């Protein structure tokens, strides 16, 4: 167990997210970001499965126990995670993802960039967060397609145009610019959901 190391990693991460949230025009989200990580339910496993700040302790806990109690607690209390945004579809009566609100999505972007900086260290580049997103494509495909589409657009902007332009753009964005009725990604996702519903 490494209480000091985990505390320092969490605090460094929060400081970076706070900085990014101020740059993105959502200062309050930065101030309250990840406060649940200091709760006993999350902090104790975080310290117990700490790996020198090289990756999330949740991944280590999951490998040991088959699940991460800290993550189950965390994702249910922090709306900047897409897993928070699942609800029962009134038509299909299945749990399905719903689009993330704009400020939660901006905070999610800030969180991903900060996490990449912490875990990659001196190897971090503006492409790191996009590379991680693409490496987890199968998992990330479970988020709402409009959320995934916009988040990928922002991560690609960061990779290609840098932090200054991307955060300046985020400060100006006031709504989610996605149109399900004309989006091919949304149409493909909806067709998949309908197919699943028909087979049950």
């Amino acid at each position: 167990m490494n209480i000091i190391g985990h505390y320092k990693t969490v605090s460094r991460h929060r400081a970076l997210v706070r900085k990014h949230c101020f740059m993105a025009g959502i200062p309050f989200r930065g101030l309250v970001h990840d406060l649940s990580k200091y709760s006993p339910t999350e902090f104790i496993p975080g310290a117990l499965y700490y790996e020198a700040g090289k990756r999330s302790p949740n991944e280590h806990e999951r490998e040991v126990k088959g699940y991460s109690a800290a993550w189950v607690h965390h994702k249910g209390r922090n709306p900047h995670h897409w897993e928070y945004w699942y609800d029962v579809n009134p038509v299909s009566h299945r749990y399905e993802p719903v689009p993330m609100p704009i400020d939660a999505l901006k905070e999610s972007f800030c969180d991903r960039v900060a996490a990449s900086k912490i875990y990659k260290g001196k190897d971090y580049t503006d492409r790191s967060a996009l590379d991680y997103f693409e490496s987890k494509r199968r998992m990330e495909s479970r988020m709402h397609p409009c959320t995934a589409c916009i988040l990928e657009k922002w991560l690609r902007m960061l990779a290609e145009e840098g932090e200054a332009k991307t955060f300046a753009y985020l400060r100006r964005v006031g709504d989610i610019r996605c149109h399900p009725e004309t989006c091919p990604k949304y149409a493909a996702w909806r067709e998949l959901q309908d197919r699943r519903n028909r087979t049950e």
Side-chain angles (χ1 to χ4, degrees):
M1 179 178 283
N2 190 333
I3 294 172
I4 302 299
H6 181 57
Y7 177 82
K8 285 182 177 178
T9 299
V10 169
S11 298
R12 278 179 58 223
H13 172 71
R14 287 194 67 245
L16 265 178
V17 175
R18 189 163 56 246
K19 175 185 174 184
H20 292 158
C21 285
F22 272 75
M23 292 167 67
I26 49 168
F28 179 74
R29 303 298 291 237
L31 294 172
V32 300
H33 178 83
D34 274 359
L35 286 176
S36 69
K37 284 191 175 179
Y38 297 114
S39 69
T41 307
E42 294 182 35
F43 190 85
I44 293 171
L48 187 62
Y49 296 103
Y50 181 75
E51 288 193 12
K54 299 300 182 185
R55 67 170 180 158
S56 170
N58 296 340
E59 292 181 15
H60 188 184
E61 182 186 16
R62 201 172 286 121
E63 289 169 359
V64 173
K65 296 169 60 177
Y67 71 98
S68 171
W71 170 244
V72 171
H73 185 271
H74 186 77
K75 71 182 175 68
R77 287 156 181 80
N78 292 277
H80 62 276
H81 290 289
W82 60 265
E83 294 91 340
Y84 178 99
W85 297 98
Y86 262 71
D87 204 352
V88 177
N89 183 308
V91 177
S92 68
H93 305 290
R94 290 171 55 100
Y95 274 97
E96 294 181 4
V98 296
M100 288 176 70
I102 185 69
D103 282 357
L105 189 50
K106 287 182 181 181
E107 184 183 354
S108 180
F109 173 86
C110 294
D111 182 47
R112 286 167 180 265
V113 175
S116 292
K117 288 180 176 179
I118 295 292
Y119 294 134
K120 297 288 284 186
K122 61 181 176 54
D123 295 324
Y124 172 82
T125 70
D126 284 340
R127 192 177 172 84
S128 295
L130 176 62
D131 286 343
Y132 183 82
F133 179 87
E134 290 181 334
S135 75
K136 301 292 184 182
R137 181 73 67 177
R138 186 173 179 185
M139 181 181 72
E140 306 284 26
S141 70
R142 295 182 179 275
M143 71 174 69
H144 192 279
C146 291
T147 296
C149 186
I150 293 163
L151 180 58
E152 183 176 358
K153 172 186 170 184
W154 293 351
L155 293 172
R156 199 165 295 283
M157 182 184 298
L158 174 66
E160 296 172 359
E161 300 183 41
E163 273 195 12
K165 284 189 177 181
T166 304
F167 281 112
Y169 172 79
L170 290 182
R171 284 195 299 276
R172 295 193 305 270
V173 173
D175 64 346
I176 302 270
R177 299 174 188 277
C178 186
H179 306 283
E181 64 277 5
T182 60
C183 176
K185 285 187 179 180
Y186 180 84
W189 175 80
R190 187 71 266 167
E191 183 181 344
L192 176 63
Q193 299 302 315
D194 292 341
R195 239 188 351 258
R196 285 177 179 165
N197 294 336
R198 287 195 297 270
T199 58
E200 288 188 349

